[in-house]
Amino acid sequence: LRYGASLQYQRHVPSATAKSDVKEGSDSYTVIDYADSLRYDTFEASIYAEDEMTFSDAFSVNAGLRYDLYSSSGKTWHSLEPRLAVRYAFSDRFTVKASYTEMSQPVHLISSIYLDLPTNSWLPSTSKIRPSRSREAAAGVYMDLAHNMHLNVEGYYKHMYNLLEYAGAYNIFPPLTGWETSYRVGQGRSWGAELDFGYDNGRTEANVYYTLSWSQRKFDDFYHSWYKDRNDSRHKLTVMAKHKFGKRFELYGAFNWHSGYRVTIATHQTPDGRTNLYTEPNNVKLPAYHRLDLGFNFIKTTKR
């Protein structure tokens, strides 16, 4: 039986400033085009307990519960987060696992465009913005195969609530002073399967990881139904290998590939050319991404 408690005090002071250097003849000066900042002091307390129960060599259960209290802007949010994990080993080489988890996140990543830039801000839940919450279920089979190989396959489904999306005009800097009214609240869901196939004989190690996944959002203020999330990438593939040449030198390589993420691009315009029209949010998929990493490690034990 494990249990514990935590207490956190956080101060959020996000700020943004945009300046222009102007030169007129021999004179030059700086103009502040945009300046915005705010401050939040938050308090979070939580307690948890979990029990690891082993009923036999084959069957075990881990059950836990966490209570979280979050206070910000004079408002207190409460959250109960149960967790349950079950494991059953049919043999030394074949195991089945399943789990269910609920989580909450009181801090939100605020962005006004589709790119991940340093202009994004982490902002806390307030009296108007409640913490995000998720429920996730997962299950998988894990197999040790002959000739030093293994195969693991997992499936998962996750539902998310109280997500935030920017609802204003295009702007690199997310609005800070009025950010609570500039964002809309919606929900999300994601599901998929992950595969891990590998070989390891102590000197040579090789692994193939593949993920097939879907990620969707639903914001009634933007669209009448579920639509693809900007991070919706259908396929992810990683192939890696490593070989040890004696005790001092090893060579490795890894290849990563995933299908492109998504952005929103106008597909039509009104006859006067002043208004852009969109079929749905995140309607265009970006090109696929790939990267190859090669390297080596040299190991030497010194007297120290």
Side-chain angles (χ1 to χ4, degrees):
L1 179 67
R2 291 184 290 267
Y3 55 90
S6 68
L7 185 66
Q8 295 185 50
Y9 168 77
Q10 297 181 356
R11 173 170 293 176
H12 299 257
V13 193
S15 60
T17 305
K19 299 179 180 180
S20 298
D21 294 327
V22 181
K23 186 174 183 180
E24 295 180 353
S26 59
D27 298 330
S28 60
Y29 54 91
T30 300
V31 177
I32 298 179
D33 299 315
Y34 175 89
D36 200 3
S37 64
L38 51 76
R39 169 179 160 175
Y40 286 104
D41 294 321
T42 64
F43 174 84
E44 183 176 9
S46 63
I47 57 174
Y48 76 92
E50 67 172 343
D51 193 6
E52 182 79 32
M53 297 167 281
T54 302
F55 299 97
S56 67
D57 292 339
F59 182 54
S60 64
V61 175
N62 182 292
L65 182 66
R66 181 176 184 266
Y67 167 73
D68 185 80
L69 179 149
Y70 188 83
S71 178
S72 175
S73 302
K75 177 72 174 183
T76 300
W77 302 102
H78 304 271
S79 175
L80 277 177
E81 303 173 9
R83 293 105 187 270
L84 178 67
V86 180
R87 173 187 178 273
Y88 189 86
F90 289 91
S91 67
D92 294 338
R93 291 180 172 269
F94 184 77
T95 303
V96 175
K97 299 179 183 180
S99 65
Y100 175 80
T101 306
E102 293 189 17
M103 293 184 292
S104 63
Q105 179 171 302
V107 184
H108 306 268
L109 178 60
I110 299 301
S111 175
S112 61
I113 58 177
Y114 294 99
L115 302 178
D116 290 324
L117 297 177
T119 57
N120 296 348
S121 300
W122 287 97
L123 290 170
S125 299
T126 66
S127 59
K128 299 179 181 178
I129 303 295
R130 65 172 57 239
S132 300
R133 189 169 178 86
S134 69
R135 296 186 175 100
E136 181 175 16
V141 294
Y142 307 83
M143 294 173 284
D144 290 330
L145 307 177
H147 307 295
N148 302 311
M149 294 185 295
H150 70 266
L151 175 64
N152 304 325
V153 181
E154 288 186 352
Y156 68 92
Y157 179 85
K158 184 177 184 179
H159 204 113
M160 295 155 281
Y161 307 87
N162 305 322
L163 303 180
L164 299 183
E165 289 282 0
Y166 183 55
Y170 172 83
N171 187 3
I172 292 180
F173 292 102
L176 297 177
T177 304
W179 79 275
E180 292 173 305
T181 59
S182 300
Y183 290 80
R184 299 295 178 263
V185 179
Q187 55 183 316
R189 62 186 182 186
S190 62
W191 66 94
E194 299 178 343
L195 181 146
D196 168 18
F197 176 73
Y199 169 84
D200 186 0
N201 66 357
R203 292 191 61 188
T204 301
E205 180 182 354
N207 287 280
V208 177
Y209 306 97
Y210 171 70
T211 301
L212 175 66
S213 62
W214 288 260
S215 183
Q216 296 180 343
R217 293 291 186 265
K218 189 175 190 297
F219 286 75
D220 294 331
D221 291 334
F222 300 152
Y223 194 62
H224 61 85
S225 183
W226 290 92
Y227 59 88
K228 296 180 180 65
D229 180 44
R230 65 170 181 150
N231 294 316
D232 180 74
S233 177
R234 190 71 63 246
H235 308 280
K236 289 185 174 70
L237 175 67
T238 298
V239 180
M240 65 82 64
K242 180 172 66 174
H243 182 74
K244 296 180 180 179
F245 297 88
K247 297 181 179 180
R248 294 189 176 183
F249 181 74
E250 64 182 19
L251 184 70
Y252 68 88
F255 175 75
N256 295 276
W257 177 91
H258 64 74
S259 50
Y261 296 123
R262 308 191 72 87
V263 296
T264 303
I265 296 180
T267 54
H268 301 82
Q269 281 187 331
T270 54
D272 57 12
R274 295 180 179 179
T275 303
N276 293 325
L277 303 177
Y278 305 85
T279 53
E280 62 178 315
N282 304 322
N283 56 342
V284 175
K285 186 177 77 170
L286 295 173
Y289 167 88
H290 57 85
R291 184 182 81 248
L292 175 64
D293 297 329
L294 298 173
F296 68 89
N297 295 324
F298 180 75
I299 303 103
K300 179 176 175 57
T301 302
T302 64
K303 294 181 180 180
R304 297 184 181 179

